[in-house]
Amino acid sequence: MIGKMTAGDVVHLTTAASVQFLCPIFVRVIRELPELHTYHGWVWIEGYQLNAAGDAVARRELYVMRAGVRLQPLPVGPAKPAKRRRRPVRVG
């Protein structure tokens, strides 16, 4: 079970969160929407649906069961930038 979701959290939503996620998705949370009243254990969230590369493809408001939401670690980039090989330049 996840506590209160905060901006920037990446969550994985499956049928454990709601039956609407037969095809699981990843979402980067913008915020929870506490002003929308729900049943106990459920929450409205606003966020961006992510594609396989981690890019935002759609902004969505989703109704999910908090106990079914799985927090995902943020992807870690390379430790150092890849070294580019330079070719000598001929002059004249």
Side-chain angles (χ1 to χ4, degrees), residues 12-69:
H12 189 218
L13 302 177
T14 64
T15 54
S18 175
V19 295
Q20 65 183 312
F21 302 114
L22 281 173
C23 181
I25 64 171
F26 289 93
V27 174
R28 182 176 303 116
V29 175
I30 297 171
R31 66 186 177 121
E32 280 191 26
L33 301 168
E35 64 274 7
L36 299 176
H37 299 286
T38 65
Y39 292 104
H40 179 73
W42 291 77
V43 63
W44 279 95
I45 60 171
E46 186 176 4
Y48 292 105
Q49 183 175 342
L50 305 176
N51 64 12
D55 300 321
V57 293
R59 187 173 179 154
R60 304 200 39 197
E61 286 186 7
L62 303 163
Y63 186 57
V64 296
M65 186 183 310
R66 187 182 299 275
V69 175

